[in-house]
Amino acid sequence: MSFYLLATCMIVGDRTGHIDVIGPLLVRRIPATAIADVDSSQGLRITLHSGRTIRSVAHGQSLLGDWAKYPRSARAAARIAEFRSRFPDPAAEDEASVVTHLRVAGLTVALALGALLLAGTFVINHL
């Protein structure tokens, strides 16, 4: 279950001008206009105009990343910067516009897969 949740962590942009940072348990929906800076020097960090920093599990800090200079994080930062440039920055939305919610669909699928595997193990052991 945890492997499924970790394997499906990602960052997704949509046509409404928001970036979804999908983690194992939570999804953070960030307006592109609220992003002040994107840094990839120690894993991917998205800094908002308010000073709040949001990190991504999909592009986290690691020893191997330190050695390789975080190439995936650098590509993701470039894509986020390019995505952000498509939207005007009228008033730089504040931190209150960042919406965080529980990843219900991903958790439901993970629990269903876990229950299926547990039931299969139970059936196999009782045959």
Side-chain angles (χ1 to χ4, degrees):
M1 291 178 357
S2 60
F3 178 73
Y4 169 78
L5 290 172
L6 287 173
T8 55
C9 292
M10 64 185 87
I11 298 175
V12 180
D14 67 8
R15 293 180 185 186
T16 63
H18 290 83
I19 293 176
D20 292 335
V21 179
I22 302 171
L25 300 176
L26 299 173
V27 177
R28 288 184 175 84
R29 187 168 178 81
I30 308 167
T33 55
I35 298 173
D37 186 38
V38 181
D39 181 37
S40 64
S41 62
Q42 294 180 343
L44 189 66
R45 286 186 314 223
I46 301 171
T47 306
L48 306 179
H49 289 291
S50 65
R52 179 180 174 189
T53 301
I54 297 176
R55 292 180 167 267
S56 168
V57 172
H59 301 281
Q61 188 174 1
S62 69
L63 181 61
L64 188 59
D66 280 338
W67 291 341
K69 304 294 183 214
Y70 296 101
R72 288 186 62 233
S73 296
R75 287 191 303 269
R79 286 192 308 267
I80 291 172
E82 189 271 326
F83 179 79
R84 186 182 172 279
S85 69
R86 292 187 214 163
F87 300 96
D89 194 13
E93 296 183 39
D94 61 348
E95 182 180 343
S97 59
V98 175
V99 178
T100 302
H101 62 277
L102 191 61
R103 190 176 163 194
V104 177
L107 290 170
T108 304
V109 169
L111 288 173
L113 288 173
L116 183 65
L117 290 172
L118 185 63
T121 302
F122 185 72
V123 167
I124 289 172
N125 284 327
H126 282 85
L127 287 180

